[in-house]
Short mmCIF file of all heavy atoms in Angstrom, two decimals:
data_model
loop_
_atom_site.label_atom_id
_atom_site.label_comp_id
_atom_site.label_asym_id
_atom_site.label_seq_id
_atom_site.Cartn_x
_atom_site.Cartn_y
_atom_site.Cartn_z
N ALA A 1 35.45 -55.49 0.87
CA ALA A 1 35.13 -56.89 1.00
C ALA A 1 35.99 -57.75 0.05
O ALA A 1 36.50 -58.80 0.41
CB ALA A 1 33.66 -57.10 0.69
N LEU A 2 36.12 -57.26 -1.19
CA LEU A 2 36.92 -57.96 -2.17
C LEU A 2 38.41 -57.98 -1.79
O LEU A 2 39.12 -59.02 -1.87
CB LEU A 2 36.77 -57.36 -3.55
CG LEU A 2 35.38 -57.61 -4.23
CD1 LEU A 2 35.29 -56.77 -5.49
CD2 LEU A 2 35.25 -59.08 -4.57
N ARG A 3 38.90 -56.82 -1.36
CA ARG A 3 40.35 -56.74 -1.03
C ARG A 3 40.70 -57.57 0.24
O ARG A 3 41.82 -58.18 0.28
CB ARG A 3 40.68 -55.24 -0.72
CG ARG A 3 42.10 -54.99 -0.28
CD ARG A 3 43.08 -55.45 -1.35
NE ARG A 3 44.45 -55.18 -0.95
CZ ARG A 3 45.21 -55.97 -0.20
NH1 ARG A 3 44.70 -57.13 0.25
NH2 ARG A 3 46.48 -55.67 0.13
N LEU A 4 39.81 -57.69 1.18
CA LEU A 4 40.17 -58.34 2.43
C LEU A 4 39.67 -59.82 2.52
O LEU A 4 39.95 -60.51 3.46
CB LEU A 4 39.63 -57.57 3.59
CG LEU A 4 40.15 -56.14 3.71
CD1 LEU A 4 39.53 -55.38 4.86
CD2 LEU A 4 41.65 -56.14 3.94
N ALA A 5 38.86 -60.22 1.54
CA ALA A 5 38.34 -61.61 1.49
C ALA A 5 39.41 -62.69 1.63
O ALA A 5 39.22 -63.64 2.39
CB ALA A 5 37.47 -61.85 0.28
N PRO A 6 40.51 -62.55 0.96
CA PRO A 6 41.58 -63.62 1.09
C PRO A 6 42.05 -63.82 2.51
O PRO A 6 42.65 -64.87 2.84
CB PRO A 6 42.68 -63.15 0.13
CG PRO A 6 42.00 -62.25 -0.87
CD PRO A 6 40.95 -61.56 -0.11
N LEU A 7 41.90 -62.80 3.32
CA LEU A 7 42.34 -62.85 4.73
C LEU A 7 41.26 -63.32 5.67
O LEU A 7 41.50 -63.37 6.88
CB LEU A 7 42.93 -61.55 5.18
CG LEU A 7 44.11 -60.99 4.38
CD1 LEU A 7 44.48 -59.60 4.87
CD2 LEU A 7 45.30 -61.93 4.62
N GLY A 8 40.04 -63.53 5.11
CA GLY A 8 38.95 -63.98 5.96
C GLY A 8 38.30 -62.88 6.77
O GLY A 8 37.56 -63.15 7.73
N ILE A 9 38.56 -61.66 6.40
CA ILE A 9 38.03 -60.50 7.10
C ILE A 9 36.65 -60.16 6.47
O ILE A 9 36.62 -59.80 5.31
CB ILE A 9 38.96 -59.31 7.07
CG1 ILE A 9 40.28 -59.60 7.78
CG2 ILE A 9 38.31 -58.06 7.74
CD1 ILE A 9 41.35 -58.57 7.57
N GLY A 10 35.58 -60.22 7.24
CA GLY A 10 34.28 -59.87 6.75
C GLY A 10 34.00 -58.43 6.68
O GLY A 10 34.34 -57.72 7.64
N VAL A 11 33.44 -57.96 5.60
CA VAL A 11 33.17 -56.46 5.42
C VAL A 11 31.71 -56.39 5.10
O VAL A 11 31.24 -57.01 4.11
CB VAL A 11 34.02 -55.90 4.38
CG1 VAL A 11 33.77 -54.37 4.28
CG2 VAL A 11 35.54 -56.12 4.63
N PHE A 12 30.96 -55.58 5.82
CA PHE A 12 29.54 -55.50 5.70
C PHE A 12 29.02 -54.06 5.76
O PHE A 12 29.66 -53.22 6.30
CB PHE A 12 28.84 -56.32 6.86
CG PHE A 12 29.36 -57.72 7.01
CD1 PHE A 12 30.38 -58.02 7.90
CD2 PHE A 12 28.85 -58.74 6.24
CE1 PHE A 12 30.90 -59.28 8.10
CE2 PHE A 12 29.35 -60.01 6.39
CZ PHE A 12 30.39 -60.30 7.31
N GLU A 13 27.82 -53.95 5.24
CA GLU A 13 27.10 -52.61 5.35
C GLU A 13 25.76 -52.89 6.02
O GLU A 13 25.00 -53.81 5.70
CB GLU A 13 26.87 -52.08 3.94
CG GLU A 13 26.09 -50.70 3.97
CD GLU A 13 25.70 -50.27 2.61
OE1 GLU A 13 25.99 -51.01 1.58
OE2 GLU A 13 25.14 -49.18 2.49
N VAL A 14 25.42 -52.05 7.05
CA VAL A 14 24.23 -52.05 7.73
C VAL A 14 23.46 -50.78 7.41
O VAL A 14 23.99 -49.66 7.55
CB VAL A 14 24.38 -52.23 9.24
CG1 VAL A 14 23.04 -52.01 9.95
CG2 VAL A 14 25.00 -53.56 9.54
N ARG A 15 22.20 -50.88 6.91
CA ARG A 15 21.44 -49.71 6.49
C ARG A 15 20.22 -49.51 7.43
O ARG A 15 19.19 -50.09 7.29
CB ARG A 15 20.93 -49.90 5.07
CG ARG A 15 22.08 -49.89 4.07
CD ARG A 15 21.48 -50.00 2.60
NE ARG A 15 22.55 -50.01 1.62
CZ ARG A 15 22.40 -50.22 0.32
NH1 ARG A 15 21.15 -50.39 -0.12
NH2 ARG A 15 23.46 -50.16 -0.50
N PRO A 16 20.38 -48.63 8.42
CA PRO A 16 19.24 -48.29 9.29
C PRO A 16 18.19 -47.54 8.52
O PRO A 16 18.49 -46.78 7.58
CB PRO A 16 19.85 -47.46 10.38
CG PRO A 16 21.35 -47.70 10.31
CD PRO A 16 21.60 -47.95 8.88
N GLY A 17 16.93 -47.62 9.00
CA GLY A 17 15.86 -46.82 8.46
C GLY A 17 15.61 -45.62 9.35
O GLY A 17 16.56 -44.88 9.64
N VAL A 18 14.37 -45.44 9.77
CA VAL A 18 14.01 -44.32 10.61
C VAL A 18 14.33 -44.71 12.13
O VAL A 18 13.58 -45.45 12.70
CB VAL A 18 12.52 -43.94 10.45
CG1 VAL A 18 12.23 -42.73 11.25
CG2 VAL A 18 12.26 -43.70 8.99
N ILE A 19 15.38 -44.21 12.61
CA ILE A 19 15.87 -44.54 13.95
C ILE A 19 15.74 -43.34 14.90
O ILE A 19 16.09 -42.23 14.61
CB ILE A 19 17.33 -45.01 13.94
CG1 ILE A 19 17.58 -46.11 12.79
CG2 ILE A 19 17.78 -45.49 15.21
CD1 ILE A 19 16.79 -47.36 13.02
N ARG A 20 15.19 -43.65 16.09
CA ARG A 20 14.98 -42.61 17.10
C ARG A 20 16.28 -42.32 17.79
O ARG A 20 16.71 -43.14 18.66
CB ARG A 20 13.87 -43.01 18.04
CG ARG A 20 13.31 -41.85 18.91
CD ARG A 20 12.62 -40.84 18.09
NE ARG A 20 12.13 -39.74 18.81
CZ ARG A 20 10.81 -39.56 19.22
NH1 ARG A 20 9.94 -40.55 18.90
NH2 ARG A 20 10.48 -38.53 19.88
N THR A 21 16.90 -41.21 17.50
CA THR A 21 18.20 -40.82 18.10
C THR A 21 18.20 -39.28 18.30
O THR A 21 17.31 -38.60 17.80
CB THR A 21 19.39 -41.17 17.20
OG1 THR A 21 19.37 -40.33 16.06
CG2 THR A 21 19.40 -42.61 16.81
N PRO A 22 19.19 -38.79 18.99
CA PRO A 22 19.27 -37.30 19.08
C PRO A 22 19.34 -36.66 17.71
O PRO A 22 18.84 -35.49 17.57
CB PRO A 22 20.59 -37.09 19.90
CG PRO A 22 20.68 -38.30 20.74
CD PRO A 22 20.17 -39.44 19.92
N MET A 23 19.90 -37.30 16.71
CA MET A 23 20.06 -36.66 15.41
C MET A 23 18.67 -36.50 14.74
O MET A 23 18.48 -35.61 13.86
CB MET A 23 20.96 -37.51 14.52
CG MET A 23 21.27 -36.86 13.17
SD MET A 23 22.39 -37.85 12.15
CE MET A 23 23.91 -37.59 13.07
N THR A 24 17.69 -37.36 15.09
CA THR A 24 16.39 -37.27 14.43
C THR A 24 15.34 -36.58 15.27
O THR A 24 14.20 -36.48 14.87
CB THR A 24 15.88 -38.70 14.15
OG1 THR A 24 15.85 -39.52 15.33
CG2 THR A 24 16.79 -39.39 13.07
N GLU A 25 15.75 -36.03 16.40
CA GLU A 25 14.77 -35.32 17.27
C GLU A 25 14.11 -34.13 16.57
O GLU A 25 12.95 -33.90 16.76
CB GLU A 25 15.48 -34.82 18.57
CG GLU A 25 15.65 -35.93 19.60
CD GLU A 25 14.39 -36.61 20.01
OE1 GLU A 25 13.41 -35.89 20.29
OE2 GLU A 25 14.33 -37.85 19.99
N GLY A 26 14.86 -33.46 15.71
CA GLY A 26 14.33 -32.32 15.05
C GLY A 26 13.18 -32.63 14.06
O GLY A 26 12.38 -31.73 13.71
N VAL A 27 13.12 -33.84 13.57
CA VAL A 27 12.12 -34.30 12.61
C VAL A 27 11.21 -35.35 13.19
O VAL A 27 10.47 -36.06 12.50
CB VAL A 27 12.74 -34.73 11.28
CG1 VAL A 27 13.36 -33.59 10.59
CG2 VAL A 27 13.73 -35.89 11.54
N ALA A 28 11.25 -35.50 14.54
CA ALA A 28 10.50 -36.63 15.16
C ALA A 28 8.99 -36.48 14.92
O ALA A 28 8.33 -37.49 14.65
CB ALA A 28 10.77 -36.65 16.65
N GLY A 29 8.48 -35.28 15.01
CA GLY A 29 7.06 -35.09 14.81
C GLY A 29 6.61 -35.48 13.39
O GLY A 29 5.59 -36.15 13.16
N LYS A 30 7.40 -35.12 12.41
CA LYS A 30 7.15 -35.45 11.06
C LYS A 30 7.07 -36.95 10.83
O LYS A 30 6.16 -37.50 10.23
CB LYS A 30 8.18 -34.80 10.12
CG LYS A 30 8.18 -35.31 8.69
CD LYS A 30 9.36 -34.82 7.91
CE LYS A 30 9.49 -35.45 6.56
NZ LYS A 30 10.69 -34.95 5.81
N TYR A 31 8.05 -37.66 11.38
CA TYR A 31 8.15 -39.08 11.19
C TYR A 31 7.13 -39.86 12.08
O TYR A 31 6.68 -40.99 11.69
CB TYR A 31 9.55 -39.60 11.39
CG TYR A 31 10.42 -39.37 10.16
CD1 TYR A 31 11.35 -38.36 10.12
CD2 TYR A 31 10.22 -40.14 9.03
CE1 TYR A 31 12.13 -38.13 8.97
CE2 TYR A 31 10.96 -39.90 7.87
CZ TYR A 31 11.90 -38.95 7.86
OH TYR A 31 12.61 -38.65 6.71
N ASP A 32 6.78 -39.27 13.26
CA ASP A 32 5.65 -39.88 13.97
C ASP A 32 4.41 -40.01 13.07
O ASP A 32 3.74 -41.08 13.04
CB ASP A 32 5.31 -39.05 15.20
CG ASP A 32 6.26 -39.29 16.35
OD1 ASP A 32 6.98 -40.32 16.39
OD2 ASP A 32 6.39 -38.39 17.23
N GLU A 33 4.14 -38.94 12.37
CA GLU A 33 2.96 -38.91 11.52
C GLU A 33 3.08 -39.92 10.31
O GLU A 33 2.17 -40.62 10.03
CB GLU A 33 2.72 -37.47 10.96
CG GLU A 33 2.30 -36.52 12.08
CD GLU A 33 2.11 -35.09 11.50
OE1 GLU A 33 2.23 -34.96 10.27
OE2 GLU A 33 1.83 -34.20 12.26
N ARG A 34 4.27 -39.90 9.71
CA ARG A 34 4.50 -40.74 8.55
C ARG A 34 4.51 -42.24 8.92
O ARG A 34 4.01 -43.07 8.19
CB ARG A 34 5.81 -40.37 7.86
CG ARG A 34 5.80 -38.97 7.24
CD ARG A 34 6.91 -38.77 6.30
NE ARG A 34 6.77 -39.62 5.12
CZ ARG A 34 7.72 -39.74 4.17
NH1 ARG A 34 8.88 -39.08 4.30
NH2 ARG A 34 7.46 -40.56 3.14
N ILE A 35 5.02 -42.53 10.11
CA ILE A 35 5.00 -43.92 10.56
C ILE A 35 3.50 -44.38 10.81
O ILE A 35 3.11 -45.44 10.50
CB ILE A 35 5.90 -44.12 11.80
CG1 ILE A 35 7.36 -43.97 11.43
CG2 ILE A 35 5.64 -45.48 12.46
CD1 ILE A 35 8.28 -43.90 12.61
N ALA A 36 2.79 -43.47 11.43
CA ALA A 36 1.36 -43.71 11.67
C ALA A 36 0.59 -43.90 10.37
O ALA A 36 -0.36 -44.69 10.35
CB ALA A 36 0.74 -42.57 12.47
#
């Protein structure tokens, strides 16, 4: 962000939480309970 700011290029970070995807299928049951 600092290096590219003079050029007007925006640099950002997005932090997802508990997202339902193929990567989280293995722990879906655990997080179903924790979300509940």
